[in-house]
Amino acid sequence: MHDVLRNGENYRRLSEQARRLPNRPSVSTVWRWHKKGVRGTKLPAVAIGGTLYCSDEALDRFLKALNAPSEKPSPKAPRSPRERTASKKRAAAILERAGI
């Protein structure tokens, strides 16, 4: 195993980190998490001799950040047919008053 200890964290190659996850994503997926990120969160990694390493702890922090509750308000539920009909009538009345 290619473990490297640095700052008290246990580093592994990205390919090893991919195998460590339950759904076993491809190495290219883990690499993309590092390069491009997911919803604004990037997976931290260090290059050692041309190989990318990520610590177990950094991967855990990355996954927790992705699964944390969103601070954004949840999207509105779709309108019911009755609400859509009422909205159309209101819009038609506004247009009629405007002479359009």
Side-chain angles (χ1 to χ4, degrees), residues 13-81:
R13 289 180 181 206
L14 292 185
S15 59
E16 292 175 38
Q17 293 293 16
R19 286 192 299 266
R20 184 175 161 247
L21 294 169
N23 60 351
R24 301 218 175 198
S26 70
V27 178
S28 62
T29 298
V30 179
W31 181 85
R32 191 171 48 251
W33 292 346
H34 165 65
K35 282 297 193 187
K36 296 184 179 184
V38 179
R39 294 188 302 268
T41 303
K42 288 187 177 184
L43 176 65
V46 294
I48 302 172
T51 302
L52 283 173
Y53 290 83
C54 173
S55 73
D56 295 344
E57 296 80 8
L59 179 60
D60 292 341
R61 287 189 298 269
F62 172 77
L63 295 173
K64 283 180 186 174
L66 290 182
N67 291 301
S70 175
E71 294 179 10
K72 296 179 188 175
S74 59
K76 291 183 178 180
R79 295 184 299 171
S80 69

